[in-house]
Amino acid sequence: MTELTITTPDDWHLHLRDGELLANTVPATAEVFGRAVVMPNLVPPVTSVEQAEAYRQRILAQRPPENNFQPLMALYLTQNTSLETVRAAAQNPHVIGFKLYPSGATTNSDAGVTDVDGLDNVFAAMAELQVPLLVHGEVTTADIDIFDREKVFIDRHLRPLMQRHPNLKLVLEHITTADAVAFVESQGSNVAATITPQHLLMNRNDLLVGGVRPHNYCLPILKRRDHQLELRRAAVSGSPKFFIGTDSAPHAQSKKETACGCAGCYSAPAALPLYAEFFEQMNALEKLEDFASGFGADFYGYPRAATKVTLVREPWRVPEVVSTAVGPMVPYWAGNLLNWQVK
Ligand code: NCD
Ligand code: ZN
């Protein structure tokens, strides 16, 4: 196969950041993807519908001419999120749901949730109004090893949450473990998961063997190979519960290559070719379309795109560095070959 035409994909988990960087991040995604769920972990966080609307306008202002990219805004859940905000979110067509960051779990999560159970009335309202809850599933306490944080979050918080609110629409974001795959598979069709390219293509050896690789450092952290293999199985299984979400998370080169580097892989410049690489490795290119362009839209209740994109099998090298408004950035997979490119 040398050409592959699929329905235009969507990115169900994306960090665009704000300010001048939008001039780089918005076109990078909008040139390939029709819609994207835009993460709200700005400083200050996007906690209200009004803030989300203003942020959406800043994003739309950077859309290339004639491009119809649609940002779908996630609101940042805090310990103070009110029922009124849940109702306002339910009524707003541009807001897709709430993102739960356990406080301290990741980049700009300080304002996140400190007591999941304390928000039970908010989750009840979300379940009733069918407002999706998007979850960064990691505990943050010092006594739990970083490689176990996803599994412990699922056991401590997610299973009980779904028992209390069986109709809650929940997406476990950027899953990294066999435990997460098993949890999602054990739940009804109202529970799904996104999977990033780095968690499909890599495991913790790619982070640590032969030297520490800051550009492969993201959260949740890459896990051991057994877990990677289970994610790979889930992604090609044809189950509609698993779909694309790049978690493209740009940080300046200087913030990654330093003594205390930021977490996040800037995958947007090569996002769809990265997934194509994975599906080709699995001999399952015919499964790419549902994963990238179908299951996520179905889950969230959006129509699949009416437009198409074409990938061609012409190997290319991801640039070592891309220049942005905030300085050089090293994209994920920098300097390495990919077999497929977007025509
Ligand atoms: C993300 C970021 O930089 O905003 N980083 C990451 O490693 N994935 C936040 C997140 O999704 O955890
Ligand atoms: Zn993210």
Side-chain angles (χ1 to χ4, degrees):
M1 204 194 294
T2 57
E3 252 195 41
L4 179 62
T5 297
I6 62 169
T7 299
T8 299
D10 304 301
D11 186 349
W12 301 100
H13 184 131
L14 175 67
H15 301 269
L16 291 172
R17 312 304 188 201
D18 205 353
E20 292 172 285
L21 191 55
L22 291 177
N24 303 100
T25 55
V26 175
T29 291
E31 273 157 17
V32 178
F33 292 87
R35 294 166 289 216
V37 174
V38 181
M39 291 294 144
N41 59 333
L42 306 182
V43 185
V46 180
T47 55
S48 70
V49 169
E50 293 71 29
Q51 283 171 305
E53 285 286 7
Y55 183 30
R56 180 171 176 273
Q57 290 305 323
R58 298 196 293 280
I59 294 165
L60 291 177
Q62 298 300 333
R63 211 165 48 168
E66 323 266 297
N67 184 294
N68 196 32
F69 173 70
Q70 293 299 325
L72 307 168
M73 312 309 292
L75 297 188
Y76 193 116
L77 189 72
T78 75
Q79 213 63 48
N80 301 318
T81 299
S82 65
L83 296 179
E84 199 185 335
T85 303
V86 177
R87 279 183 224 111
Q91 278 165 19
N92 186 293
H94 304 137
V95 171
I96 194 165
F98 285 84
K99 177 72 188 282
L100 188 170
Y101 291 103
S103 182
T106 189
T107 309
N108 299 336
S109 62
D110 301 356
V113 170
T114 49
D115 171 17
V116 174
D117 299 345
L119 284 169
D120 220 48
N121 60 339
V122 169
F123 299 136
M126 291 176 64
E128 189 198 324
L129 298 170
Q130 287 291 287
V131 176
L133 178 65
L134 286 51
V135 180
H136 184 115
E138 289 192 287
V139 295
T140 57
T141 46
D143 59 322
I144 304 297
D145 188 273
I146 187 167
F147 291 100
D148 298 332
R149 287 177 172 202
E150 185 172 273
K151 177 191 169 14
V152 174
F153 188 91
I154 291 166
D155 293 341
R156 268 191 205 166
H157 299 296
L158 285 189
R159 281 185 212 285
L161 180 67
M162 292 315 300
Q163 262 162 18
R164 293 197 302 275
H165 306 288
N167 298 324
L168 183 63
K169 237 176 134 88
L170 184 138
V171 182
L172 185 50
E173 299 290 334
H174 43 48
I175 58 169
T176 64
T177 59
D179 310 280
V181 171
F183 166 74
V184 170
E185 285 179 338
S186 75
Q187 300 290 313
S189 59
N190 53 314
V191 175
T194 55
I195 312 183
T196 76
Q198 63 267 25
H199 293 103
L200 292 170
L201 291 164
M202 290 184 171
N203 59 58
R204 64 194 195 180
N205 282 5
D206 299 287
L207 178 66
L208 296 168
V209 171
V212 63
R213 320 250 167 195
H215 301 293
N216 296 343
Y217 173 58
C218 68
L219 289 169
I221 199 160
L222 292 171
K223 303 299 193 296
R224 59 186 308 132
R225 184 175 146 83
D226 301 352
H227 290 295
Q228 180 199 5
L229 292 179
E230 191 56 6
L231 297 176
R232 289 167 69 97
R233 182 195 66 72
V236 300
S237 68
S239 164
K241 289 167 152 292
F242 301 98
F243 47 80
I244 190 168
T246 63
D247 194 20
S248 175
H251 294 276
Q253 184 174 15
S254 59
K255 298 258 169 69
K256 295 281 296 173
E257 298 175 13
T258 180
C260 184
C262 291
C265 299
Y266 184 35
S267 58
L272 191 59
L274 285 162
Y275 284 102
E277 187 79 17
F278 158 70
F279 279 90
E280 186 175 71
Q281 286 178 8
M282 299 297 285
N283 230 331
L285 272 170
E286 76 286 356
K287 301 278 180 70
L288 173 66
E289 184 170 31
D290 276 339
F291 181 86
S293 321
F295 294 150
D298 300 349
F299 177 84
Y300 279 109
Y302 291 94
R304 295 187 181 196
T307 50
K308 303 270 180 193
V309 298
T310 297
L311 289 152
V312 287
R313 199 172 189 289
E314 283 172 22
W316 64 294
R317 213 170 274 284
V318 176
E320 296 282 356
V321 69
V322 292
S323 59
T324 78
V326 300
M329 255 178 219
V330 178
Y332 176 65
W333 212 256
N336 292 312
L337 284 172
L338 288 174
N339 282 331
W340 291 84
Q341 53 182 290
V342 179
K343 201 168 170 177

